[in-house]
Amino acid sequence: MSQNALRLVWIYPDLLSTYGDQGNVLVVERRARQRGIEVARVDVRSDEPIPTSGDIYLIGGGEDRPQRLAAERLRRDGGLNRAASNGAIIFSVCAGYQILGHEFVNDLGKREPGLGLLDVVSVRGEGSRCVGDVLADIDPRLGLPPLTGFENHQGITRLGATARPFAQVRFGNGNGTEDGTEGAYQETVFGTYMHGPVMARNPHIADLLLRLALDVSTLPPVDDRWYEALREERIAAATETAS
Ligand code: GLN
């Protein structure tokens, strides 16, 4: 593996990888390789230190207890915060998204500090869990097609002044707030409630991360037929259920 390989870090596969979130790392890796980009993938278990020299970090969702354990270990480790201050690209899903914020409510009902990499705060929703398919429009500044995904969470996430909503829901809950926002981002740190896995349903997000990592504005096209078929099928099914 050359020194110039793109360093892709998948955080805590042993704690945070519900609903196929592992698919995200596979899609980013594959879409890089299809462009002839060499990739060095590192899967970091929760008893290992987080490398600080990664280019792209991915973190998935999880049940409430593993989420607390992951937050404790990530805080103690400090590597992800150092990577972020070096300008790393970080993409997080659900429990991972909540952990990147200032705080969330843990499995013991207590406020648990997050990493403070996103200006968001999560609480436990009072109502029923947010479960089901979601369709949302991604912030036009990011120039991506609509977001399709599956959500399953009790948490509600509110954005502070420095975080931008990642998307605006057409249907589904997303952040679970009245303003209809879904996910958040600031600079190169992203969070979403979408599983699916979200990259398989939205390969353009994987491409966005690659473009940011390589500092290029376009990438050579790749065959998107299977992704498009999946998107069409999921969007049609979800639209039918919603109407
Ligand atoms: N435990 C969190 C919640 O319910 C995250 C769940 C998840 O990652 N799917 O809000």
Side-chain angles (χ1 to χ4, degrees):
M1 193 67 66
S2 89
Q3 290 221 315
N4 296 328
L6 187 82
R7 286 150 304 179
L8 184 58
V9 183
W10 183 32
I11 299 173
Y12 295 175
D14 54 329
L15 290 179
L16 298 175
S17 185
T18 47
Y19 307 116
D21 292 338
Q22 174 184 11
N24 292 338
V25 70
L26 298 174
V27 173
V28 176
E29 195 177 6
R30 176 162 168 77
R31 291 181 77 86
R33 294 223 161 98
Q34 283 180 305
R35 271 68 175 245
I37 301 159
E38 203 179 344
V39 181
R41 168 176 154 192
V42 189
D43 297 356
V44 185
R45 291 177 57 87
S46 63
D47 57 353
E48 295 171 333
I50 304 281
T52 54
S53 59
D55 296 299
I56 300 177
Y57 292 76
L58 298 174
I59 178 165
E63 310 280 326
D64 293 354
R65 186 162 184 278
Q67 177 174 350
R68 171 167 54 89
L69 297 179
E72 285 168 4
R73 290 173 194 192
L74 286 167
R75 284 200 309 270
R76 206 181 314 133
D77 179 89
L80 193 56
N81 286 71
R82 285 198 291 282
S85 51
N86 294 337
I89 292 138
I90 305 175
F91 187 89
S92 61
V93 176
C94 204
Y97 168 38
Q98 295 179 9
I99 291 172
L100 293 198
H102 298 299
E103 65 175 45
F104 61 90
V105 175
N106 68 19
D107 58 319
L108 309 171
K110 301 238 163 63
R111 288 161 57 186
E112 177 85 31
L115 302 183
L117 296 176
L118 278 174
D119 186 14
V120 304
V121 169
S122 301
V123 296
R124 283 184 84 74
E126 299 293 314
S128 51
R129 277 183 88 77
C130 300
V131 183
D133 262 85
V134 176
L135 185 64
D137 295 304
I138 297 182
D139 184 339
R141 288 179 188 86
L142 297 172
L144 302 180
L147 176 68
T148 161
F150 171 79
E151 64 182 338
N152 185 349
H153 56 101
Q154 189 67 41
I156 301 281
T157 299
R158 290 186 198 287
L159 276 57
T162 31
R164 287 184 192 284
F166 182 57
Q168 202 67 34
V169 294
R170 280 195 228 168
F171 51 80
N173 299 282
N175 289 325
T177 46
E178 316 67 41
D179 57 8
T181 59
E182 184 331 88
Y185 74 104
Q186 60 195 74
E187 306 201 9
T188 57
V189 182
F190 298 82
T192 178
Y193 269 110
M194 298 300 99
H195 302 279
V198 68
M199 299 287 182
R201 289 204 197 184
N202 306 271
H204 318 93
I205 298 177
D207 289 355
L208 168 70
L209 304 187
L210 291 172
R211 284 191 276 114
L212 288 170
L214 299 168
D215 198 16
V216 295
S217 54
T218 53
L219 288 169
V222 291
D223 184 352
D224 274 340
R225 272 175 297 178
W226 286 105
Y227 295 102
E228 285 305 329
L230 174 63
R231 284 177 65 76
E232 266 171 43
E233 192 271 326
R234 291 318 308 156
I235 292 172
T239 309
E240 201 165 298
T241 311
S243 60

